[in-house]
């Protein structure tokens, strides 16, 4: 779609790859989700940790083993833990999940290197460590908003770019067809014009069959009738071979087209 | 749009990203319309401001002239101003809403690759002005009622556990924590419910602006039905889009605060502390007003574009818009 920024990347083998950039919307959505996970889990861990340290302090005190500087150690451990929790979350997830965090996975976006390769620990760490600078006065936000490649400071430094996940390959998601669809398909396979249908027509047909469940019933009926009429004309059929609903006719064409072109 | 890929439903993030791109590609056009709308927004307040100034000076001269003169005439003038102001407010808000709808219409027409000029689109929306106004009023009343009802419920639900804990003699910290948790959950639930309702009534002006012969009340029903099963997605879009406008507020407030600091010494020079305080408060108020209006020039077209993309997405999800075979 023309409303998304695209970017061409060159791999080390000089192959040109095209990606759709993640866009501000997807990135903010991912950030919202990640922030929630991060803060909620941090609070939870902190509560557990404070109970533990309280218990240990009491135990040590009772046995007379409590060293004088113990509380300082607790504070130091919490500080270190906080740092690693907030930088580690992004760095580790992006390394282990090939450029994705839970939020990015939900928003269907991914960090990759400028040459199209997946990010490693080095890139993910740089991005994560520079995150506080990007958060300062929303600097990163404005960088993404204004820049052609939608890179925040962390992205520029690490040499990474955030792109959208590839859409699921065509025809991968299953959808239910009526029981009589194969019957109709068998009859339609005798119609020679079925081979003249274009992949575009088939794509529209599949879109309709996939999405019809979410449509409003009266409008769905209209769309179905309109498509059935268009296909009837394309197939040069004056009338349908037998009484059937427009949906059944469309399902039949879908199966017949698939079966006459085995590569689909 | 590539020829092999029919329009697909958009993800939450992509609704927002597409809106930003759409807004950017119409930046000058949309900002111009928004400027006009903001002008209409500010207009009814100017006579009010003038009336207040006139009233205040008149009262001051009267009181200095002694108690012999009668302030009745002035008060009558003030009361008379109220209906005049209301009529002006209604007229101007209708103008604001029409300009908002104009932006959404232009954005949507571009989305379906049938772009219109501002003049052509204006011809279409201007005759529907009062439908926009009525729809907005009704949605305001509905959302107001929802907000009132659920806030009442929230108060009841949070008061009960608090009262129970307060009355029991052996209330420990665990009970207090539990109450706190309950209150938090109720608050969040109330927020979610209100957001949900807002999502269902989010786009009433779009059907009026883009479909033929849709009245205000029909468009509210249509917004409700189009958004059926999509309320959570729309809520998320509203949240993400709202977050995106936050940095803009920062941008707007920085010059405001700087100018206030710069103005402070001149305001203090040679006047009594009371006058300084009054000036500061008036200055802050005026600044806030100007800032909100100024920000609207940017946020309003953004929201109207978001609405256009949501409408487009809902039509393609719920009504299979664009699902037809190519002519050949």
């Amino acid at each position: 779609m023309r409303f998304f920024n695209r970017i061409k990347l060159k791999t080390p083998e000089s192959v040109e790859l095209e990606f759709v950039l993640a866009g501000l919307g997807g990135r903010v959505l991912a950030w919202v989700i990640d922030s929630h996970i991060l803060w909620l889990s941090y609070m939870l861990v902190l509560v557990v940790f404070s109970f533990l340290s309280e218990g240990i302090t009491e135990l040590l005190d009772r046995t007379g083993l409590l060293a004088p500087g113990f509380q300082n150690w607790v504070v130091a451990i919490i500080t270190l833990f906080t740092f690693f929790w907030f930088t580690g979350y992004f760095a580790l997830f992006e390394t282990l999940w090939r450029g994705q965090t839970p939020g990015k996975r939900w928003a269907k976006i991914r960090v990759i290197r400028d040459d199209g390769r997946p990010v490693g620990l080095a890139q993910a760490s740089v991005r994560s460590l520079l995150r506080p600078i990007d958060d300062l006065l929303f600097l990163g936000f404005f960088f993404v908003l204004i820049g052609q490649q939608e890179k925040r400071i962390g992205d520029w430094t690490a040499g990474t770019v955030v792109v959208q996940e590839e859409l699921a390959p065509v025809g991968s998601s299953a959808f239910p067809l009526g029981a009589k669809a194969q019957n109709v398909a068998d009859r339609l396979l005798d119609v020679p014009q079925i081979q003249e249908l274009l992949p575009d027509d088939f794509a529209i047909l599949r879109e309709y069959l996939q999405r019809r469940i979410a449509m409003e019933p009266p409008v769905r009926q209209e769309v179905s009738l309109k498509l059935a009429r268009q296909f009837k004309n394309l197939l040069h059929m004056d009338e349908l071979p037998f009484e059937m609903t427009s949906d059944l006719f469309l399902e039949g064409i879908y199966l017949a087209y698939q079966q006459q072109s085995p590569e689909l | 749009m590539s020829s092999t890929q029919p329009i697909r439903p958009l993800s939450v993030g992509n609704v927002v990203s597409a809106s930003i791109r759409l807004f950017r590609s119409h930046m000058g056009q949309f900002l111009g319309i928004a400027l006009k709308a903001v002008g209409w927004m500010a207009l009814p307040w100017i006579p009010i401001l003038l009336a207040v100034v006139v009233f205040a000076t008149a009262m001051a001269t009267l009181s200095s002239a002694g108690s012999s003169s009668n302030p009745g005439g002035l008060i009558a003038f003030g009361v008379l101003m109220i209906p005049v102001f209301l009529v002006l407010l209604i007229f101007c808000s209708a103008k604001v809403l029409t300009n908002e709808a104009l932006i959404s219409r232009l954005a949507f027409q571009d989305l379906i690759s049938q772009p219109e000029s501002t003049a052509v689109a204006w011809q279409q929306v201007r005759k529907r002005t009062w439908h926009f106004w009525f729809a907005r009023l009704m949605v305001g009343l509905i959302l107001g009622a929802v907000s009132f009802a659920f806030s009442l419920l929230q108060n009841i639900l949070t008061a009960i556990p608090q009262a129970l804990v307060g009355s029991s003699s052996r209330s420990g910290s665990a009970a207090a924590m539990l109450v706190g948790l309950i209150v938090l959950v109720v608050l969040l639930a109330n927020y979610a419910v209100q957001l949900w309702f807002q999502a269902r009534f989010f786009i009433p002006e779009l059907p009026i602006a883009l479909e033929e012969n849709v009245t205000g009340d029909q468009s509210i029903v249509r917004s409700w039905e189009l958004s059926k099963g999509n309320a959570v997605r729309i809520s998320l879009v509203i949240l993400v889009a709202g977050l995106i406008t936050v940095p803009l507020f920062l941008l707007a407030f920085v010059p405001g605060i700087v100018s206030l600091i710069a103005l402070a010494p001149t305001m203090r020079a040679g006047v009594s502390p009371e006058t300084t305080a009054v000036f500061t408060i008036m200055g802050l108020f005026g600044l806030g007003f100007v800032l909100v209006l100024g920000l609207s020039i940017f946020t309003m077209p953004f929201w109207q574009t978001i609405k256009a993309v949501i409408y487009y997405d809902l039509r393609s999800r719920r009504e299979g818009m664009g699902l037809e075979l190519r002519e050949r």
Side-chain angles (χ1 to χ4, degrees):
Chain A
M1 204 183 167
R2 70 205 151 97
F3 292 103
F4 300 109
N5 278 327
R6 286 170 180 278
I7 188 173
K8 280 204 173 92
L9 302 180
K10 248 198 176 113
T11 67
E13 301 84 26
S14 289
V15 179
E16 216 166 61
L17 293 176
E18 199 186 41
F19 289 96
V20 180
L21 287 175
L24 201 54
R27 293 181 77 154
V28 171
L29 180 67
W31 175 81
V32 170
I33 294 164
D34 282 331
S35 304
H36 277 82
I37 296 174
L38 202 47
W39 278 98
L40 286 177
S41 58
Y42 177 70
M43 303 280 220
L44 207 72
V45 172
L46 221 54
V47 167
V48 172
F49 188 82
S50 66
F51 272 115
L52 266 180
S53 73
E54 216 168 275
I56 292 171
T57 314
E58 224 179 83
L59 194 74
L60 288 176
D61 202 20
R62 218 179 296 151
T63 52
L65 286 170
L66 188 64
F70 184 73
Q71 282 307 319
N72 293 342
W73 280 101
V74 173
V75 173
I77 288 171
I78 291 181
T79 313
L80 268 180
F81 164 77
T82 306
F83 172 75
F84 282 114
W85 192 261
F86 281 88
T87 44
Y89 174 88
F90 292 99
L92 281 182
F93 269 119
E94 284 177 8
T95 312
L96 295 176
W97 281 7
R98 299 170 70 89
Q100 287 192 311
T101 57
K104 288 197 175 77
R105 191 171 267 203
W106 177 276
K108 296 196 174 65
I109 59 176
R110 182 189 292 281
V111 189
I112 55 171
R113 288 200 229 176
D114 282 340
D115 57 10
R117 284 185 294 164
V119 285
L121 186 62
Q123 290 83 24
S125 306
V126 170
R127 290 188 88 248
S128 188
L129 286 170
L130 287 176
R131 194 171 280 274
I133 296 178
D134 273 313
D135 287 344
L136 194 75
L137 295 175
F138 305 103
L139 267 180
F141 172 89
F142 288 111
F143 267 84
V144 173
L145 181 68
I146 292 161
Q148 262 308 304
Q149 301 185 28
E150 301 183 351
K151 284 172 170 229
R152 63 177 177 89
I153 298 168
D155 286 317
W156 285 111
T157 319
T160 54
V161 61
V162 188
V163 296
Q164 304 214 356
E165 286 246 75
E166 293 291 304
L167 285 175
V170 162
S172 67
S173 53
F175 46 87
L177 294 177
K180 281 188 274 179
Q182 189 54 53
N183 273 346
V184 179
D186 290 341
R187 282 165 182 263
L188 285 171
L189 278 170
D190 299 335
V191 180
Q193 282 84 3
I194 198 95
Q195 290 172 18
E196 288 165 22
L197 293 181
L198 298 178
D200 270 14
D201 304 330
F202 182 70
I204 294 279
L205 180 58
R206 192 191 47 241
E207 259 328 276
Y208 167 72
L209 293 175
Q210 266 174 350
R211 281 161 43 184
R212 59 183 167 172
I213 304 159
M215 290 183 194
E216 247 169 310
V219 191
R220 170 181 160 179
Q221 189 56 35
E222 274 172 41
V223 176
S224 174
L225 276 174
K226 186 182 69 186
L227 281 176
R229 224 171 277 133
Q230 283 184 314
F231 271 111
K232 210 176 78 180
N233 287 340
L234 283 180
L235 298 177
H236 303 296
M237 299 168 82
D238 294 327
E239 52 192 273
L240 298 183
F242 51 84
E243 271 297 302
M244 62 177 117
T245 63
S246 51
D247 263 28
L248 184 58
F249 177 54
L250 293 173
E251 287 174 5
I253 301 174
Y254 177 79
L255 286 178
Y257 184 82
Q258 251 183 347
Q259 284 153 16
Q260 61 85 32
S261 49
E263 75 271 16
L264 272 167
Chain B
M1 218 175 290
S2 74
S3 65
T4 46
Q5 201 157 62
I7 45 166
R8 281 244 169 94
L10 295 168
S11 67
V12 170
N14 280 347
V15 168
V16 179
S17 301
S19 306
I20 295 172
R21 289 267 291 176
L22 193 54
F23 182 16
R24 280 174 76 169
S25 64
H26 290 263
M27 189 75 101
Q29 188 188 17
F30 286 4
L31 288 184
I33 300 167
L35 193 67
K36 227 180 271 175
V38 166
W40 284 112
M41 228 181 264
L43 187 64
W45 303 97
I46 293 170
I48 279 288
L49 211 65
L50 282 176
V52 167
V53 169
V54 169
F55 198 72
T57 12
M59 285 304 265
T61 32
L62 274 181
S63 62
S64 63
S67 54
S68 56
S69 44
N70 184 11
L74 261 179
I75 292 168
F77 168 73
V79 172
L80 254 175
M81 277 303 284
I82 294 173
V84 174
F85 170 69
L86 279 181
V87 168
L88 196 63
L89 194 66
I90 289 170
F91 180 74
C92 290
S93 59
K95 283 285 182 196
V96 174
L97 294 174
T98 314
N99 277 296
E100 285 183 0
L102 174 65
I103 295 176
S104 287
R105 179 174 173 115
L106 289 167
F108 180 82
Q109 292 290 349
D110 190 358
L111 276 170
I112 58 169
S113 304
Q114 292 167 13
E116 279 176 348
S117 72
T118 311
V120 170
W122 178 249
Q123 286 302 319
Q124 291 300 318
V125 290
R126 62 177 288 192
K127 50 189 182 194
R128 304 167 193 179
T129 295
W130 294 104
H131 292 312
F132 297 127
W133 191 83
F134 180 72
R136 178 61 64 93
L137 181 72
M138 292 314 286
V139 166
L141 288 177
I142 294 170
L143 291 182
V146 166
S147 167
F148 179 76
F150 280 92
S151 299
L152 204 67
L153 195 66
Q154 170 190 312
N155 286 342
I156 295 169
L157 285 180
T158 52
I160 292 172
Q162 278 170 332
L164 282 179
V165 168
S167 65
S168 85
S169 50
R170 44 186 190 79
S171 54
S173 64
M177 251 172 91
L178 191 67
V179 170
L181 205 65
I182 291 173
V183 169
L184 187 71
V185 168
V186 171
L187 285 181
L188 284 178
N190 184 22
Y191 177 68
V193 166
Q194 305 219 7
L195 191 62
W196 187 89
F197 272 99
Q198 207 196 343
R200 296 299 301 269
F201 293 113
F202 194 54
I203 48 163
E205 70 266 46
L206 273 288
I208 302 175
L210 289 153
E211 296 166 25
E212 290 304 317
N213 301 323
V214 175
T215 60
D217 47 336
Q218 287 167 340
S219 76
I220 294 172
V221 175
R222 196 138 161 69
S223 175
W224 177 264
E225 283 183 343
L226 271 177
S227 59
K228 202 178 276 171
N230 289 291
V232 174
R233 285 168 20 76
I234 301 173
S235 301
L236 278 175
V237 169
I238 296 175
L239 274 180
V240 170
L243 275 174
I244 283 179
T245 58
V246 169
L248 282 181
F249 282 83
L250 180 93
L251 267 193
F253 275 96
V254 167
I257 289 164
V258 168
S259 61
L260 198 70
I261 292 169
L263 278 176
T266 57
M267 280 199 268
R268 208 168 36 215
V271 279
S272 65
E274 291 89 41
T275 329
T276 316
V278 168
F279 268 116
T280 312
I281 290 167
M282 276 179 68
L284 277 176
F285 184 78
L287 198 69
F289 190 66
V290 171
L291 274 183
V292 167
L293 284 183
L295 271 179
S296 314
I297 297 175
F298 293 93
T299 55
M300 189 254 270
F302 175 57
W303 281 112
Q304 292 310 122
T305 319
I306 291 263
K307 287 182 179 189
V309 179
I310 288 178
Y311 176 70
Y312 167 85
D313 187 44
L314 288 177
R315 294 259 334 246
S316 74
R317 274 172 195 270
R318 305 269 298 147
E319 302 185 340
M321 189 183 64
L323 281 183
E324 51 188 284
L325 306 186
R326 259 155 217 284
E327 296 285 329
R328 56 173 184 254

